[in-house]
Amino acid sequence: MMKVILLVTLFGLAWPVLADDDGQRDSLNDSRQRNQLQRDVSSDRATTIERRQSLNRSEHRDERFDERQRQERQLKRSQRRLEDSQRELRDQRNQSP
């Protein structure tokens, strides 16, 4: 009888700890899931930032390319004008004796 009372008392004292273990396990799982979600969000944020920076670099490359193209066209126009002017001067010299 004494063993039964001791066993019931021991079980009564241990029950909150045993019952709370599942809650702690759930809490631990929740914490792990929350941490995983935070890592995922941080990773997504970093990926978004990297993509934005890459896009900005690409846009700057495009802008520099467009500027070089514009400068090359302007240079070609200037060269044509110079050649035209030189041709006109030669023609004028050749025409006047």
Side-chain angles (χ1 to χ4, degrees):
M1 183 66 172
M2 187 67 135
K3 288 183 181 180
V4 172
I5 293 174
L6 184 60
L7 185 61
V8 169
T9 305
L10 197 58
F11 184 73
L13 292 173
W15 177 252
V17 174
L18 294 174
D20 195 34
D21 188 43
D22 287 337
Q24 287 177 348
R25 209 174 299 141
D26 288 344
S27 177
L28 183 59
N29 285 336
D30 290 346
S31 177
R32 285 181 182 155
Q33 288 176 349
R34 188 172 44 254
N35 288 342
Q36 182 62 45
L37 286 173
Q38 287 173 343
R39 283 193 298 272
D40 291 346
V41 167
S42 295
S43 175
D44 289 347
R45 196 173 292 141
T47 301
T48 302
I49 290 170
E50 289 171 5
R51 286 180 180 165
R52 186 177 304 128
Q53 290 172 345
S54 176
L55 180 61
N56 286 341
R57 285 192 299 270
S58 176
E59 287 174 349
H60 289 302
R61 275 193 302 270
D62 290 347
E63 289 170 1
R64 288 191 306 265
F65 177 77
D66 291 344
E67 179 63 22
R68 281 194 305 271
Q69 292 285 10
R70 189 185 65 75
Q71 288 175 352
E72 287 176 10
R73 285 192 302 270
Q74 187 176 13
L75 179 61
K76 285 179 182 180
R77 281 193 301 267
S78 296
Q79 286 174 334
R80 279 194 303 267
R81 273 188 256 133
L82 178 61
E83 289 169 356
D84 290 344
S85 296
Q86 289 174 340
R87 191 176 310 112
E88 284 177 17
L89 283 173
R90 270 194 312 264
D91 290 346
Q92 284 176 359
R93 269 190 256 137
N94 289 339
Q95 285 180 358
S96 60

XYZ file of all heavy atoms in Angstrom:
824
model
N 0.809 -1.179 0.000
C 0.000 0.000 0.000
C 0.863 1.258 0.000
O 0.537 2.234 -0.657
C -0.910 -0.061 1.233
C -1.859 1.056 1.342
S -3.014 0.913 -0.013
C -4.149 2.099 0.389
N 1.911 1.208 0.762
C 2.830 2.331 0.844
C 3.466 2.597 -0.519
O 3.643 3.752 -0.902
C 3.898 2.025 1.891
C 4.778 3.180 2.151
S 3.820 4.454 2.917
C 4.902 4.909 4.174
N 3.774 1.515 -1.237
C 4.371 1.661 -2.560
C 3.390 2.317 -3.524
O 3.771 3.143 -4.349
C 4.809 0.308 -3.099
C 6.009 -0.255 -2.420
C 6.417 -1.560 -3.056
C 7.615 -2.147 -2.345
N 8.038 -3.401 -2.913
N 2.107 1.955 -3.376
C 1.087 2.526 -4.258
C 0.944 4.016 -3.985
O 0.883 4.832 -4.918
C -0.262 1.793 -4.071
C -1.372 2.484 -4.828
C -0.143 0.354 -4.484
N 0.905 4.409 -2.723
C 0.789 5.836 -2.368
C 2.021 6.588 -2.856
O 1.911 7.684 -3.420
C 0.608 5.996 -0.837
C -0.745 5.426 -0.408
C 0.717 7.453 -0.435
C -0.948 5.397 1.072
N 3.183 5.996 -2.649
C 4.428 6.627 -3.108
C 4.435 6.748 -4.634
O 4.804 7.790 -5.174
C 5.629 5.796 -2.627
C 7.001 6.370 -2.951
C 7.185 7.745 -2.326
C 8.080 5.424 -2.484
N 3.981 5.722 -5.309
C 3.929 5.739 -6.775
C 2.931 6.778 -7.276
O 3.219 7.535 -8.207
C 3.564 4.350 -7.296
C 3.597 4.175 -8.808
C 4.984 4.434 -9.367
C 3.140 2.781 -9.181
N 1.747 6.875 -6.650
C 0.740 7.860 -7.042
C 1.261 9.271 -6.772
O 1.084 10.188 -7.586
C -0.596 7.594 -6.306
C -1.574 8.741 -6.490
C -1.208 6.297 -6.780
N 1.900 9.485 -5.641
C 2.461 10.798 -5.309
C 3.547 11.186 -6.303
O 3.592 12.321 -6.794
C 3.048 10.784 -3.880
O 2.031 10.359 -2.963
C 3.553 12.144 -3.485
N 4.414 10.250 -6.581
C 5.490 10.497 -7.535
C 4.922 10.806 -8.923
O 5.367 11.736 -9.588
C 6.406 9.269 -7.595
C 7.771 9.484 -8.215
C 8.538 10.561 -7.471
C 8.550 8.196 -8.197
N 3.910 10.066 -9.315
C 3.272 10.286 -10.606
C 2.583 11.656 -10.620
O 2.632 12.386 -11.604
C 2.269 9.168 -10.905
C 1.658 9.285 -12.264
C 2.394 8.984 -13.400
C 0.349 9.708 -12.419
C 1.834 9.095 -14.663
C -0.217 9.824 -13.676
C 0.517 9.515 -14.811
N 1.948 12.013 -9.508
C 1.281 13.315 -9.389
C 2.267 14.465 -9.485
O 1.986 15.505 -10.077
N 3.452 14.295 -8.903
C 4.477 15.340 -8.981
C 5.121 15.398 -10.368
O 5.456 16.473 -10.863
C 5.557 15.105 -7.921
C 5.128 15.300 -6.474
C 6.250 14.868 -5.530
C 4.748 16.757 -6.231
N 5.270 14.262 -10.985
C 5.943 14.206 -12.285
C 4.999 14.550 -13.431
O 5.463 14.947 -14.505
C 6.535 12.815 -12.503
N 3.700 14.446 -13.230
C 2.749 14.680 -14.323
C 2.863 16.078 -14.953
O 2.915 16.189 -16.174
C 1.330 14.411 -13.826
C 0.320 14.707 -14.895
C -0.537 15.747 -14.932
C 0.112 13.980 -16.094
N -1.286 15.711 -16.072
C -0.895 14.622 -16.810
C 0.694 12.829 -16.635
C -1.354 14.180 -18.040
C 0.228 12.385 -17.852
C -0.773 13.050 -18.550
N 2.949 17.162 -14.189
C 3.072 18.482 -14.829
C 4.345 18.602 -15.685
O 4.323 19.209 -16.748
C 3.114 19.466 -13.664
C 2.484 18.755 -12.528
C 2.777 17.303 -12.749
N 5.394 17.981 -15.209
C 6.643 18.025 -15.970
C 6.509 17.203 -17.245
O 6.891 17.650 -18.333
C 7.826 17.502 -15.115
C 9.085 17.406 -15.935
C 8.018 18.393 -13.901
N 5.934 16.028 -17.134
C 5.748 15.180 -18.312
C 4.741 15.798 -19.281
O 4.927 15.774 -20.494
C 5.286 13.779 -17.894
C 6.299 12.961 -17.087
C 5.660 11.655 -16.615
C 7.534 12.689 -17.923
N 3.677 16.358 -18.755
C 2.659 16.959 -19.609
C 3.201 18.213 -20.277
O 2.877 18.506 -21.429
C 1.426 17.301 -18.773
N 4.036 18.947 -19.587
C 4.595 20.184 -20.124
C 5.658 19.905 -21.175
O 5.950 20.752 -22.005
C 5.178 21.022 -18.982
C 5.420 22.446 -19.425
O 4.635 22.943 -20.249
O 6.396 23.049 -18.951
N 6.204 18.718 -21.192
C 7.248 18.372 -22.148
C 6.752 18.516 -23.579
O 7.450 19.018 -24.441
C 7.759 16.956 -21.876
C 8.970 16.636 -22.724
O 9.857 17.497 -22.846
O 9.025 15.522 -23.277
N 5.515 18.080 -23.848
C 4.956 18.240 -25.190
C 4.828 19.713 -25.539
O 5.098 20.125 -26.669
C 3.587 17.555 -25.292
C 3.713 16.034 -25.309
O 4.805 15.547 -25.670
O 2.722 15.371 -24.968
N 4.400 20.496 -24.574
C 4.288 21.938 -24.799
C 5.648 22.547 -25.096
O 5.781 23.410 -25.957
N 6.669 22.095 -24.378
C 8.012 22.603 -24.631
C 8.492 22.161 -26.009
O 9.130 22.922 -26.731
C 8.988 22.113 -23.555
C 8.799 22.805 -22.228
C 9.730 22.242 -21.172
O 10.346 21.210 -21.361
N 9.808 22.932 -20.039
N 8.165 20.922 -26.357
C 8.561 20.412 -27.664
C 7.868 21.216 -28.773
O 8.473 21.604 -29.748
C 8.227 18.926 -27.766
C 9.159 18.192 -28.698
C 8.921 16.703 -28.695
N 9.127 16.104 -27.393
C 8.368 15.137 -26.878
N 7.362 14.657 -27.564
N 8.620 14.646 -25.703
N 6.552 21.481 -28.562
C 5.823 22.294 -29.526
C 6.396 23.697 -29.584
O 6.550 24.276 -30.659
C 4.336 22.366 -29.161
C 3.620 21.046 -29.422
O 4.197 20.200 -30.156
O 2.517 20.859 -28.896
N 6.704 24.231 -28.407
C 7.286 25.565 -28.356
C 8.635 25.583 -29.067
O 8.961 26.525 -29.776
C 7.446 26.000 -26.895
O 8.075 27.242 -26.839
N 9.408 24.528 -28.888
C 10.700 24.426 -29.551
C 10.508 24.325 -31.061
O 11.209 24.993 -31.828
C 11.469 23.215 -29.028
C 12.874 22.997 -29.559
C 13.751 24.205 -29.243
C 13.480 21.745 -28.961
N 9.529 23.530 -31.486
C 9.246 23.436 -32.922
C 8.782 24.779 -33.480
O 9.189 25.184 -34.572
C 8.178 22.367 -33.187
C 8.737 20.962 -33.068
O 9.937 20.757 -33.218
N 7.871 20.011 -32.797
N 7.912 25.462 -32.719
C 7.467 26.786 -33.150
C 8.644 27.738 -33.269
O 8.740 28.515 -34.218
C 6.438 27.361 -32.158
C 5.109 26.619 -32.204
O 4.895 25.845 -33.168
O 4.302 26.813 -31.272
N 9.530 27.671 -32.301
C 10.708 28.538 -32.312
C 11.598 28.218 -33.516
O 12.089 29.123 -34.192
C 11.495 28.361 -31.012
O 12.654 29.144 -31.036
N 11.773 26.945 -33.783
C 12.585 26.546 -34.946
C 11.935 27.017 -36.244
O 12.608 27.521 -37.137
C 12.767 25.033 -34.970
C 13.744 24.537 -33.944
C 13.905 23.044 -34.015
N 14.812 22.586 -32.979
C 14.817 21.373 -32.473
N 13.935 20.476 -32.908
N 15.672 21.033 -31.544
N 10.616 26.846 -36.326
C 9.914 27.296 -37.531
C 10.002 28.813 -37.681
O 10.210 29.327 -38.779
C 8.450 26.861 -37.488
C 8.266 25.371 -37.705
C 6.808 24.951 -37.550
O 5.972 25.729 -37.092
N 6.526 23.714 -37.927
N 9.861 29.528 -36.579
C 9.964 30.983 -36.608
C 11.369 31.402 -37.047
O 11.529 32.288 -37.891
C 9.619 31.565 -35.240
C 9.519 33.062 -35.210
C 8.987 33.619 -33.891
N 9.542 33.007 -32.695
C 8.874 32.140 -31.917
N 7.650 31.786 -32.213
N 9.451 31.637 -30.853
N 12.378 30.739 -36.496
C 13.758 31.049 -36.894
C 13.984 30.740 -38.367
O 14.654 31.502 -39.074
C 14.758 30.266 -36.032
C 14.831 30.786 -34.619
O 14.409 31.906 -34.343
N 15.347 29.968 -33.710
N 13.425 29.626 -38.843
C 13.567 29.268 -40.252
C 12.888 30.308 -41.135
O 13.428 30.715 -42.165
C 12.989 27.881 -40.521
C 13.155 27.417 -41.954
C 14.613 27.296 -42.365
O 15.423 26.762 -41.624
N 14.947 27.815 -43.530
N 11.714 30.750 -40.725
C 11.007 31.786 -41.477
C 11.809 33.090 -41.500
O 11.899 33.756 -42.535
C 9.620 32.038 -40.894
C 8.572 30.970 -41.174
C 7.294 31.270 -40.384
C 8.279 30.887 -42.651
N 12.402 33.434 -40.368
C 13.225 34.646 -40.317
C 14.429 34.516 -41.244
O 14.785 35.477 -41.939
C 13.685 34.929 -38.888
C 12.572 35.437 -37.996
C 13.004 35.561 -36.542
O 14.012 34.983 -36.126
N 12.228 36.304 -35.761
N 15.053 33.332 -41.270
C 16.180 33.120 -42.187
C 15.722 33.212 -43.632
O 16.386 33.815 -44.481
C 16.836 31.766 -41.917
C 17.726 31.751 -40.685
C 18.586 30.496 -40.637
N 17.799 29.269 -40.540
C 17.389 28.715 -39.402
N 17.695 29.270 -38.246
N 16.694 27.604 -39.415
N 14.542 32.630 -43.921
C 14.006 32.692 -45.288
C 13.725 34.134 -45.705
O 14.053 34.540 -46.820
C 12.727 31.858 -45.402
C 12.979 30.356 -45.288
O 14.155 29.946 -45.382
O 12.006 29.611 -45.093
N 13.123 34.886 -44.791
C 12.823 36.289 -45.099
C 14.127 37.060 -45.306
O 14.247 37.845 -46.253
C 11.977 36.928 -43.970
C 11.922 38.434 -44.095
C 10.579 36.342 -43.977
N 15.106 36.835 -44.453
C 16.396 37.514 -44.607
C 17.054 37.134 -45.923
O 17.607 37.984 -46.626
C 17.335 37.159 -43.447
O 16.824 37.659 -42.244
N 16.978 35.869 -46.261
C 17.556 35.403 -47.520
C 16.838 36.032 -48.708
O 17.476 36.485 -49.667
C 17.468 33.878 -47.594
O 17.923 33.417 -48.837
N 15.494 36.066 -48.641
C 14.720 36.695 -49.715
C 15.056 38.170 -49.833
O 15.185 38.708 -50.931
C 13.221 36.523 -49.475
C 12.755 35.089 -49.669
O 13.532 34.288 -50.221
O 11.624 34.770 -49.269
N 15.208 38.829 -48.697
C 15.546 40.253 -48.690
C 16.926 40.460 -49.320
O 17.117 41.358 -50.144
C 15.525 40.774 -47.256
C 15.475 42.281 -47.144
C 15.281 42.733 -45.707
N 13.956 42.356 -45.241
C 13.689 41.903 -44.025
N 14.641 41.771 -43.141
N 12.458 41.586 -43.686
N 17.881 39.605 -48.952
C 19.225 39.715 -49.525
C 19.183 39.455 -51.028
O 19.841 40.163 -51.803
C 20.171 38.735 -48.834
N 18.409 38.471 -51.439
C 18.280 38.173 -52.868
C 17.674 39.358 -53.607
O 18.131 39.732 -54.695
C 17.415 36.916 -53.077
O 18.031 35.815 -52.406
C 17.255 36.600 -54.548
N 16.658 39.966 -53.014
C 16.020 41.131 -53.627
C 17.008 42.280 -53.756
O 17.082 42.945 -54.799
C 14.797 41.577 -52.792
O 13.883 40.488 -52.696
C 14.118 42.773 -53.409
N 17.788 42.511 -52.724
C 18.789 43.587 -52.754
C 19.827 43.303 -53.824
O 20.199 44.192 -54.602
C 19.444 43.750 -51.363
C 18.428 44.344 -50.390
C 20.684 44.621 -51.448
C 18.869 44.329 -48.941
N 20.301 42.048 -53.897
C 21.291 41.687 -54.916
C 20.725 41.884 -56.317
O 21.409 42.394 -57.202
C 21.733 40.237 -54.741
C 22.600 40.001 -53.530
C 22.835 38.526 -53.274
O 22.403 37.690 -54.097
O 23.452 38.207 -52.253
N 19.474 41.492 -56.523
C 18.855 41.660 -57.843
C 18.707 43.131 -58.194
O 18.928 43.536 -59.332
C 17.494 40.971 -57.881
C 17.598 39.475 -57.939
C 16.253 38.832 -57.982
N 16.373 37.383 -58.039
C 15.389 36.553 -57.804
N 14.192 37.020 -57.514
N 15.575 35.251 -57.867
N 18.314 43.949 -57.212
C 18.168 45.381 -57.447
C 19.521 45.995 -57.803
O 19.629 46.810 -58.727
C 17.592 46.058 -56.206
C 17.264 47.533 -56.427
C 16.628 48.184 -55.210
N 15.437 47.495 -54.787
C 15.212 47.079 -53.530
N 16.104 47.296 -52.602
N 14.102 46.453 -53.226
N 20.579 45.604 -57.074
C 21.913 46.118 -57.381
C 22.368 45.679 -58.764
O 22.951 46.462 -59.518
C 22.913 45.652 -56.318
C 22.709 46.318 -54.977
C 23.577 45.718 -53.890
O 24.132 44.620 -54.053
N 23.715 46.408 -52.774
N 22.091 44.443 -59.107
C 22.447 43.944 -60.430
C 21.707 44.712 -61.516
O 22.286 45.076 -62.553
C 22.128 42.452 -60.523
O 22.378 41.967 -61.810
N 20.437 44.959 -61.284
C 19.641 45.724 -62.243
C 20.192 47.144 -62.379
O 20.304 47.662 -63.500
C 18.179 45.762 -61.795
C 17.216 46.530 -62.686
C 17.166 45.912 -64.082
C 15.831 46.541 -62.075
N 20.555 47.754 -61.256
C 21.133 49.102 -61.304
C 22.436 49.110 -62.094
O 22.673 50.012 -62.904
C 21.372 49.642 -59.889
C 20.091 50.048 -59.201
O 19.075 50.272 -59.847
N 20.122 50.133 -57.885
N 23.279 48.113 -61.859
C 24.540 48.026 -62.619
C 24.251 47.858 -64.098
O 24.888 48.487 -64.948
C 25.401 46.871 -62.101
C 26.081 47.160 -60.769
C 27.132 46.103 -60.452
N 26.584 44.775 -60.340
C 26.128 44.232 -59.214
N 26.163 44.916 -58.092
N 25.648 43.005 -59.198
N 23.280 47.023 -64.413
C 22.912 46.799 -65.801
C 22.391 48.084 -66.444
O 22.741 48.413 -67.581
C 21.853 45.696 -65.876
O 21.409 45.524 -67.184
N 21.550 48.802 -65.707
C 21.026 50.067 -66.236
C 22.147 51.065 -66.468
O 22.163 51.774 -67.474
C 19.982 50.645 -65.282
C 18.672 49.887 -65.290
C 17.694 50.382 -64.240
O 18.089 51.181 -63.363
O 16.532 49.955 -64.291
N 23.117 51.110 -65.535
C 24.247 52.029 -65.704
C 25.088 51.632 -66.910
O 25.554 52.503 -67.657
C 25.109 52.086 -64.445
C 24.449 52.788 -63.306
N 24.004 54.082 -63.374
C 24.135 52.364 -62.057
C 23.453 54.437 -62.232
N 23.515 53.404 -61.417
N 25.266 50.324 -67.108
C 25.998 49.865 -68.297
C 25.262 50.287 -69.555
O 25.872 50.766 -70.519
C 26.170 48.348 -68.272
C 27.354 47.855 -67.489
C 27.630 46.386 -67.773
N 26.503 45.522 -67.488
C 26.263 44.941 -66.320
N 27.094 45.136 -65.310
N 25.214 44.169 -66.149
N 23.944 50.115 -69.542
C 23.136 50.519 -70.689
C 23.249 52.015 -70.936
O 23.377 52.456 -72.081
C 21.669 50.135 -70.485
C 21.434 48.630 -70.537
O 22.350 47.904 -70.974
O 20.343 48.185 -70.130
N 23.205 52.801 -69.855
C 23.322 54.249 -69.998
C 24.685 54.626 -70.567
O 24.776 55.494 -71.450
C 23.107 54.938 -68.646
C 21.674 54.884 -68.161
C 21.522 55.343 -66.726
O 22.534 55.725 -66.093
O 20.375 55.314 -66.225
N 25.750 53.987 -70.065
C 27.098 54.283 -70.581
C 27.200 53.863 -72.040
O 27.806 54.572 -72.860
C 28.161 53.578 -69.734
C 28.327 54.201 -68.351
C 29.559 53.679 -67.634
N 29.615 52.241 -67.549
C 29.204 51.521 -66.513
N 28.703 52.118 -65.457
N 29.292 50.212 -66.519
N 26.612 52.722 -72.388
C 26.635 52.260 -73.768
C 25.896 53.253 -74.664
O 26.386 53.622 -75.743
C 25.997 50.866 -73.868
C 25.925 50.338 -75.269
C 27.051 49.826 -75.884
C 24.732 50.372 -75.970
C 26.992 49.343 -77.177
C 24.658 49.891 -77.263
C 25.793 49.375 -77.865
N 24.717 53.674 -74.217
C 23.942 54.655 -74.989
C 24.729 55.949 -75.162
O 24.721 56.547 -76.251
C 22.604 54.950 -74.307
C 21.645 53.763 -74.357
O 21.886 52.840 -75.164
O 20.662 53.762 -73.582
N 25.413 56.379 -74.123
C 26.214 57.601 -74.204
C 27.361 57.431 -75.204
O 27.642 58.328 -76.004
C 26.752 57.961 -72.806
C 27.609 59.205 -72.770
C 26.853 60.460 -73.157
O 25.608 60.495 -73.057
O 27.515 61.421 -73.589
N 28.018 56.277 -75.163
C 29.101 56.022 -76.127
C 28.559 56.005 -77.551
O 29.179 56.560 -78.467
C 29.798 54.690 -75.814
C 30.782 54.780 -74.669
C 31.688 53.552 -74.607
N 30.973 52.295 -74.542
C 30.573 51.700 -73.429
N 30.839 52.248 -72.258
N 29.922 50.562 -73.469
N 27.400 55.383 -77.732
C 26.781 55.355 -79.065
C 26.479 56.778 -79.538
O 26.721 57.128 -80.693
C 25.475 54.532 -79.046
C 25.670 53.060 -78.822
C 26.203 52.373 -80.068
O 26.593 52.995 -81.032
N 26.232 51.060 -80.029
N 25.939 57.578 -78.661
C 25.612 58.969 -78.997
C 26.876 59.741 -79.363
O 26.918 60.470 -80.373
C 24.896 59.643 -77.829
C 24.333 61.012 -78.167
C 23.748 61.687 -76.945
N 24.743 62.002 -75.934
C 25.622 62.999 -76.036
N 25.640 63.757 -77.086
N 26.491 63.211 -75.077
N 27.931 59.544 -78.594
C 29.199 60.232 -78.876
C 29.787 59.770 -80.211
O 30.324 60.585 -80.976
C 30.200 59.991 -77.744
C 29.850 60.739 -76.478
C 30.784 60.404 -75.326
O 31.603 59.501 -75.425
N 30.640 61.133 -74.226
N 29.688 58.485 -80.492
C 30.203 57.974 -81.769
C 29.421 58.555 -82.944
O 30.016 58.941 -83.953
C 30.140 56.441 -81.796
C 31.175 55.777 -80.927
C 31.029 54.262 -80.901
O 30.244 53.722 -81.704
O 31.702 53.639 -80.078
N 28.102 58.628 -82.815
C 27.292 59.231 -83.888
C 27.661 60.701 -84.082
O 27.785 61.180 -85.209
C 25.801 59.084 -83.573
C 25.269 57.674 -83.789
C 23.750 57.637 -83.755
N 23.195 58.144 -82.505
C 22.927 57.418 -81.423
N 23.169 56.128 -81.430
N 22.409 57.972 -80.348
N 27.845 61.387 -82.973
C 28.215 62.802 -83.048
C 29.588 62.963 -83.708
O 29.788 63.856 -84.534
C 28.217 63.410 -81.646
C 28.422 64.903 -81.621
C 28.309 65.434 -80.199
O 28.312 64.675 -79.238
N 28.229 66.742 -80.090
N 30.519 62.091 -83.372
C 31.849 62.135 -83.970
C 31.774 61.873 -85.476
O 32.428 62.576 -86.268
C 32.762 61.105 -83.292
C 34.184 61.012 -83.813
C 34.917 62.324 -83.628
C 34.907 59.877 -83.112
N 30.967 60.907 -85.871
C 30.823 60.609 -87.301
C 30.219 61.801 -88.045
O 30.664 62.140 -89.155
C 29.957 59.362 -87.511
C 30.669 58.090 -87.181
C 29.773 56.889 -87.386
C 30.515 55.618 -87.002
N 29.686 54.431 -87.179
N 29.223 62.455 -87.441
C 28.649 63.651 -88.072
C 29.698 64.746 -88.208
O 29.806 65.399 -89.247
C 27.455 64.165 -87.254
C 26.182 63.390 -87.479
C 24.968 64.117 -86.904
N 25.066 64.377 -85.471
C 24.590 63.582 -84.519
N 23.987 62.451 -84.850
N 24.716 63.898 -83.261
N 30.470 64.916 -87.147
C 31.523 65.937 -87.188
C 32.552 65.606 -88.265
O 33.017 66.498 -88.999
C 32.226 66.049 -85.830
O 31.333 66.484 -84.847
N 32.922 64.345 -88.376
C 33.885 63.943 -89.410
C 33.323 64.185 -90.804
O 34.025 64.671 -91.695
C 34.263 62.464 -89.235
C 35.180 62.210 -88.066
C 35.424 60.727 -87.834
O 34.599 59.887 -88.198
N 36.561 60.424 -87.223
N 32.053 63.871 -91.018
C 31.430 64.116 -92.324
C 31.411 65.606 -92.653
O 31.705 66.017 -93.782
C 30.008 63.546 -92.360
C 29.966 62.043 -92.621
C 28.563 61.580 -92.995
N 27.556 61.907 -91.988
C 27.180 61.092 -91.001
N 27.727 59.903 -90.883
N 26.255 61.461 -90.148
N 31.087 66.415 -91.655
C 31.075 67.860 -91.871
C 32.473 68.365 -92.222
O 32.629 69.206 -93.123
C 30.550 68.593 -90.634
C 29.041 68.716 -90.652
C 28.528 69.606 -89.542
N 27.968 68.704 -88.535
C 28.192 68.775 -87.234
N 28.946 69.701 -86.738
N 27.660 67.891 -86.423
N 33.457 67.850 -91.512
C 34.839 68.245 -91.786
C 35.243 67.832 -93.201
O 35.844 68.620 -93.959
C 35.780 67.622 -90.754
C 37.271 67.897 -90.927
C 37.547 69.389 -90.847
C 38.049 67.123 -89.885
N 34.913 66.598 -93.561
C 35.237 66.130 -94.911
C 34.512 66.973 -95.963
O 35.098 67.317 -97.000
C 34.862 64.649 -95.061
C 35.760 63.720 -94.279
C 35.224 62.292 -94.227
O 34.108 62.041 -94.742
O 35.916 61.434 -93.658
N 33.255 67.292 -95.715
C 32.498 68.134 -96.640
C 33.151 69.510 -96.776
O 33.282 70.045 -97.889
C 31.042 68.291 -96.189
C 30.236 67.010 -96.327
O 30.700 66.091 -97.035
O 29.137 66.935 -95.725
N 33.553 70.075 -95.656
C 34.205 71.389 -95.693
C 35.512 71.330 -96.458
O 35.826 72.225 -97.274
C 34.487 71.887 -94.268
O 33.306 72.096 -93.568
N 36.293 70.297 -96.224
C 37.557 70.145 -96.944
C 37.308 69.987 -98.446
O 38.019 70.563 -99.273
C 38.343 68.946 -96.409
C 38.903 69.175 -95.031
C 39.553 67.922 -94.450
O 39.274 66.806 -94.888
N 40.407 68.118 -93.456
N 36.307 69.206 -98.794
C 35.964 69.001 -100.191
C 35.552 70.321 -100.845
O 35.974 70.647 -101.954
C 34.844 67.964 -100.303
C 34.610 67.484 -101.721
C 33.555 66.360 -101.804
N 33.807 65.259 -100.859
C 33.033 64.977 -99.795
N 31.974 65.698 -99.515
N 33.322 63.955 -99.004
N 34.738 71.099 -100.137
C 34.308 72.391 -100.652
C 35.503 73.327 -100.870
O 35.592 74.019 -101.887
C 33.302 73.050 -99.699
C 31.922 72.450 -99.757
C 30.985 73.096 -98.749
O 31.287 74.203 -98.243
O 29.952 72.474 -98.451
N 36.417 73.336 -99.924
C 37.616 74.171 -100.067
C 38.452 73.737 -101.263
O 38.963 74.571 -102.029
C 38.461 74.118 -98.786
C 37.966 74.939 -97.609
C 38.818 74.646 -96.374
C 37.982 76.414 -97.933
N 38.625 72.445 -101.457
C 39.388 71.935 -102.611
C 38.700 72.335 -103.922
O 39.342 72.769 -104.871
C 39.512 70.407 -102.536
C 40.735 69.924 -101.796
C 40.988 68.424 -102.040
N 39.801 67.601 -101.880
C 39.469 66.941 -100.777
N 40.243 66.988 -99.732
N 38.366 66.222 -100.727
N 37.379 72.157 -103.905
C 36.624 72.527 -105.102
C 36.762 74.020 -105.402
O 36.926 74.420 -106.562
C 35.143 72.165 -104.956
C 34.899 70.659 -104.976
O 35.825 69.916 -105.363
O 33.784 70.244 -104.586
N 36.723 74.838 -104.364
C 36.854 76.273 -104.570
C 38.237 76.618 -105.106
O 38.403 77.453 -105.990
C 36.617 77.046 -103.269
C 35.163 77.143 -102.871
C 34.957 77.834 -101.529
O 35.936 78.236 -100.887
N 33.712 77.933 -101.121
N 39.258 75.982 -104.583
C 40.627 76.230 -105.050
C 40.796 75.775 -106.494
O 41.462 76.422 -107.282
C 41.631 75.503 -104.167
C 42.092 76.360 -103.017
C 43.256 75.730 -102.280
N 42.694 75.189 -101.021
C 42.997 74.015 -100.507
N 43.828 73.222 -101.094
N 42.440 73.620 -99.390
N 40.188 74.653 -106.792
C 40.295 74.123 -108.159
C 39.530 74.966 -109.149
O 39.906 75.057 -110.321
C 39.819 72.677 -108.217
C 40.770 71.721 -107.528
O 41.936 72.041 -107.350
N 40.248 70.577 -107.127
N 38.460 75.574 -108.737
C 37.636 76.366 -109.644
C 38.257 77.738 -109.906
O 38.107 78.311 -110.981
C 36.239 76.558 -109.092
C 35.409 75.306 -109.215
C 34.010 75.510 -108.650
O 33.685 76.574 -108.138
N 33.196 74.469 -108.737
N 38.885 78.303 -108.960
C 39.439 79.651 -109.165
C 40.890 79.539 -109.640
O 41.767 79.083 -108.915
C 39.346 80.471 -107.872
O 40.054 79.854 -106.837
N 41.158 80.040 -110.863
C 42.532 79.941 -111.409
C 43.440 81.039 -110.977
O 43.273 82.023 -110.536
C 42.330 80.004 -112.900
C 40.934 80.392 -113.140
C 40.202 80.349 -111.844
